[in-house]
Amino acid sequence: MSQLSAVRIEGGLLGPDTLEKLLAGELPGQKLQDFGLDGRRSLTDEIASVFADARTQWEVFQRRLERLPKDDPATSVTRDAWLIPFLSLLGYELRYNARAHDIDGATFAISHRAGEAEDAPPVHLVGVRQELGRLAPGSRSRLAPHSLVQEYLNRTDHVWGLVTNGLVVRLLRNSTFVRRQAYVEFDLRQILEEQRFGDFAVLYRLLHRTRLPRTAEDAPDCLLEQYYRDAIEQGGRVREGLRAGVEACIKHLANGFLAHPANAGLRGEEEASGEWRVASGREASSEWRVASGREASSEWRVASGSEASSEWRVASGSEASSEWRVASSNQPLATHHSPLAPEPLATHHSPLAPSATHHSPLAPTTFTGNSYVWSIACSSCWFPKTGG
């Protein structure tokens, strides 16, 4: 499908695999006799002959188009000099619809049908200067060409139809989609001017008249409907494969999370973090334990004497203050050359400790609790303790 640059599928009408199967002859109706041809030459040779004739007709049409005024919609020239002869190469015997179809009060001015029967598939031909997705300036039609055919299919018993402006041709099917268009489009200009035979072979195998139903009654059994059902089945198989792949991916990710050393809580192990144990219900929070009476608060334990406060532990020497722990780090806070302390801190001349005695302004008196004497030795910024 990646090499078929002139073929465009919208709305999942058919799958890329369907086109590949067409080229490989793996779908029904791909034998020579299925196209109403005799067995004097191969199908590939027949398609090559039609391709050559189509290119010749395209060149004639381009010369006719050059002679038209720029404001001419070129509807007649497009139909008579190009589209009707081109579609005849694909087995179509188009019949002009003299009047518009009236469906429940709405009119559908479909230009042609694919055969003598009144309920033959619709084939709507417009001028080369008319975009399929837009109304032409000054047009009396209420819908753009594409929308006209799509709504006609949706409101009648017809299932398949064609719409083309000579530059592109679209295959449409009746659809329940309201906002999303579904079609297969072939870029005729690119196919013919770039001589893309592979793309033209797909067009021939898919759009030949023998692919469409003869009448609306034959639609459920036509080859296009078989291709459509095959695309739906193929899409279902793809979705099943994607489901299995997504499931395997989720399992792989989950096992990776469980195997990580930091995810002990996910494995249900005891070394899970406190937050995880609280969140998972394995452990109550400290606030809940205090509120429920199962645990006393830290303030109560200090007040009742069962636990010393952090200030008492620092003062008694059983715990160092946070300031001391910072000051006692491996690197001294100041050296003799530090701009913060131009003179050694460990001298009597330090502005923070004029003397290393009990008369230090930071420790002017002796703390007598438990016969301990505290002083500040500024030379190393730590608290020596002497006992009596």
Side-chain angles (χ1 to χ4, degrees):
M1 178 62 187
S2 60
Q3 298 179 351
L4 303 176
S5 62
V7 185
R8 176 183 173 191
I9 300 176
E10 286 291 334
L13 182 58
L14 296 176
D17 290 346
T18 303
L19 304 186
E20 294 177 0
K21 288 180 179 180
L22 281 174
L23 283 176
E26 298 175 358
L27 291 176
Q30 295 304 311
K31 296 180 180 180
L32 195 64
Q33 56 270 26
D34 296 326
F35 294 86
L37 305 172
D38 56 39
R40 288 180 297 179
R41 54 182 176 179
S42 68
L43 181 58
T44 301
D45 290 341
E46 179 67 26
I47 295 174
S49 176
V50 172
F51 183 52
D53 292 343
R55 290 181 58 220
T56 300
Q57 292 176 354
W58 174 261
E59 292 173 357
V60 173
F61 168 61
Q62 291 301 306
R63 289 193 292 269
R64 292 278 302 273
L65 195 61
E66 290 173 357
R67 294 195 290 266
L68 290 179
K70 295 298 183 181
D71 57 348
D72 192 316
T75 303
S76 298
V77 171
T78 303
R79 291 175 178 174
D80 299 335
W82 168 232
L83 286 176
I84 293 176
F86 169 69
L87 290 174
S88 68
L89 295 175
L90 302 179
Y92 288 83
E93 296 179 359
L94 297 181
R95 295 295 183 268
Y96 179 72
N97 292 318
R99 58 181 181 273
H101 300 285
D102 190 299
I103 310 295
D104 298 330
T107 58
F108 296 87
I110 306 296
S111 67
H112 294 75
R113 62 185 186 275
E116 286 288 353
E118 289 294 329
D119 60 346
V123 180
H124 190 39
L125 312 180
V126 298
V128 71
R129 294 169 179 169
Q130 164 71 64
E131 294 185 44
L132 296 184
R134 295 184 179 180
L135 281 172
S139 174
R140 292 178 296 178
S141 177
R142 61 186 181 86
L143 295 171
H146 179 105
S147 300
L148 182 71
V149 177
Q150 185 66 71
E151 186 173 335
Y152 179 73
L153 293 175
N154 293 347
R155 298 180 64 170
T156 64
D157 293 332
H158 290 287
V159 178
W160 296 92
L162 297 178
V163 59
T164 176
N165 62 359
L167 298 179
V168 297
V169 56
R170 292 179 180 177
L171 173 67
L172 279 65
R173 185 185 185 279
N174 67 354
S175 174
T176 57
F177 296 123
V178 177
R179 297 183 179 179
R180 185 178 67 173
Q181 294 183 340
Y183 58 86
V184 180
E185 179 184 277
F186 293 88
D187 189 329
L188 297 176
R189 171 184 282 172
Q190 183 180 357
I191 289 174
L192 298 171
E193 294 185 355
E194 297 181 7
Q195 303 185 33
R196 303 190 65 84
F197 178 73
D199 299 66
F200 185 82
V202 173
L203 181 152
Y204 187 94
R205 290 173 178 269
L206 186 65
L207 299 188
H208 193 273
R209 177 64 184 90
T210 55
R211 319 292 94 178
L212 278 73
R214 293 186 298 275
T215 64
E217 186 179 355
D218 303 325
D221 301 320
C222 73
L223 288 171
L224 281 178
E225 197 66 14
Q226 295 181 43
Y227 302 158
Y228 177 72
R229 289 194 294 266
D230 179 81
I232 293 177
E233 294 174 0
Q234 179 66 24
R237 290 191 291 270
V238 170
R239 285 191 293 271
E240 288 296 326
L242 288 175
R243 182 181 294 110
V246 170
E247 182 180 349
C249 181
I250 292 174
K251 288 181 178 179
H252 186 73
L253 288 173
N255 289 331
F257 284 125
L258 290 172
H260 195 279
N263 291 330
L266 295 177
R267 298 189 295 271
E269 297 178 1
E270 294 300 326
E271 61 268 22
S273 67
E275 292 81 357
W276 183 88
R277 292 195 298 271
V278 169
S280 63
R282 296 194 174 198
E283 182 178 296
S285 65
S286 59
E287 292 81 0
W288 183 88
R289 293 195 300 271
V290 170
S292 63
R294 298 194 175 193
E295 182 178 294
S297 66
S298 59
E299 292 80 0
W300 182 88
R301 293 194 298 270
V302 170
S304 63
S306 59
E307 182 177 298
S309 66
S310 59
E311 292 81 0
W312 184 89
R313 293 195 298 272
V314 170
S316 64
S318 59
E319 181 178 297
S321 67
S322 59
E323 292 81 359
W324 181 87
R325 290 194 299 271
V326 171
S328 62
S329 60
N330 291 334
Q331 291 184 342
L333 292 179
T335 64
H336 293 291
H337 305 288
S338 170
L340 297 177
E343 295 184 3
L345 292 178
T347 66
H348 294 292
H349 306 288
S350 170
L352 296 178
S355 65
T357 66
H358 296 298
H359 303 289
S360 168
L362 296 180
T365 59
T366 301
F367 178 72
T368 58
N370 295 328
S371 300
Y372 279 87
V373 178
W374 290 80
S375 65
I376 296 179
C378 295
S379 60
S380 59
C381 292
W382 61 296
F383 296 90
K385 178 175 64 176
T386 58

